[in-house]
């Protein structure tokens, strides 16, 4: 997650801690940052030909701040340090500043090994475009071989790869 979401934008855990410092300088009870990167792809085959293909990349960071019964959200599709700080500042409207502008306590990032439930395989880049077309062609051939009455085969191959990193103001981070 760090290689996908933080490193390309030269973001360090110190940057994240400074964002929480900005948030906690106000009367906030809880704050977290939700980084996300998603890449998806789809191919469709109809009448023996690839009829369409799509490719999409989405990424961004969300900021959530809770103060008493109020919650503020901000989002940026740019993960850079300036945009992250601007999103954090946008959440300040729900809280009043501490006296004399004193900052809240920001914990250092805590690294704990999580439980790995599956291998981090990217299905979108696991196969070449030619391999993906051949999978659809094999599907069509299989369907037509089952019964000669099959007149039309439509197939779709889709894949999505998503990386998520959540950082909390208490220093806890989790990634998937």
């Amino acid at each position: 997650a760090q290689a996908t979401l933080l490193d390309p934008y030269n973001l360090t855990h110190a940057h994240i801690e400074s964002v929480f410092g900005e948030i906690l300088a106000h009367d906030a009870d809880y704050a977290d940052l939700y980084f996300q990167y998603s890449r998806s792809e789809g191919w469709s085959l109809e009448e023996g030909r690839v009829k369409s293909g799509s490719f999409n990349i989405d990424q961004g960071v969300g900021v959530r701040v809770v103060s008493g019964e109020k919650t503020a959200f901000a989002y940026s599709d740019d993960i850079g340090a300036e945009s992250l700080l601007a999103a954090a500042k946008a959440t300040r409207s729900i809280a009043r500043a501490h006296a004399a502008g004193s900052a809240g306590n920001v914990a250092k990032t805590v690294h704990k090994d999580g439980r790995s439930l599956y291998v981090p395989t990217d299905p979108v880049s696991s196969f070449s475009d030619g391999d993906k077309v051949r999978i659809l062609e094999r599907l069509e051939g299989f369907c037509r071989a089952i019964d000669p009455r099959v007149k039309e085969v439509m197939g779709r191959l889709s894949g999505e790869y998503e990386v998520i990193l959540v950082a909390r103001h208490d220093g806890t981070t989790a990634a998937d």
Side-chain angles (χ1 to χ4, degrees), residues 20 23-24 28-33 64-66 167-170:
F20 285 127
I23 293 168
L24 295 176
D29 300 319
Y30 176 86
D32 61 25
L33 307 175
R64 176 175 59 170
V65 177
V66 178
R168 295 187 337 197
H169 77 280
D170 65 3

Side-chain angles (χ1 to χ4, degrees), residues 28-87:
D29 300 319
Y30 176 86
D32 61 25
L33 307 175
Y34 182 92
F35 296 86
Q36 183 175 17
Y37 171 87
S38 177
R39 187 174 67 241
S40 61
E41 180 178 77
W43 298 77
S44 66
L45 178 111
E46 192 175 331
E47 300 173 4
R49 303 180 80 169
V50 173
K51 290 285 186 169
S52 67
S54 62
F55 184 82
N56 189 49
I57 294 177
D58 288 317
Q59 65 182 19
V61 60
V63 179
R64 176 175 59 170
V65 177
V66 178
S67 180
E69 295 180 10
K70 297 183 278 183
T71 303
F73 297 97
Y75 175 81
S76 173
D77 57 4
D78 177 15
I79 301 178
E82 288 180 23
S83 297
L84 179 57
L85 190 57

Side-chain angles (χ1 to χ4, degrees), residues 140-169:
E140 180 185 37
F142 176 77
C143 292
R144 292 186 184 281
I146 290 175
D147 192 321
R149 294 175 293 176
V150 171
K151 299 293 180 204
E152 186 175 333
V153 176
M154 292 185 288
R156 178 145 176 87
L157 179 64
S158 300
E160 184 170 352
Y161 180 65
E162 193 166 14
V163 180
I164 296 169
L165 173 70
V166 179
R168 295 187 337 197
H169 77 280

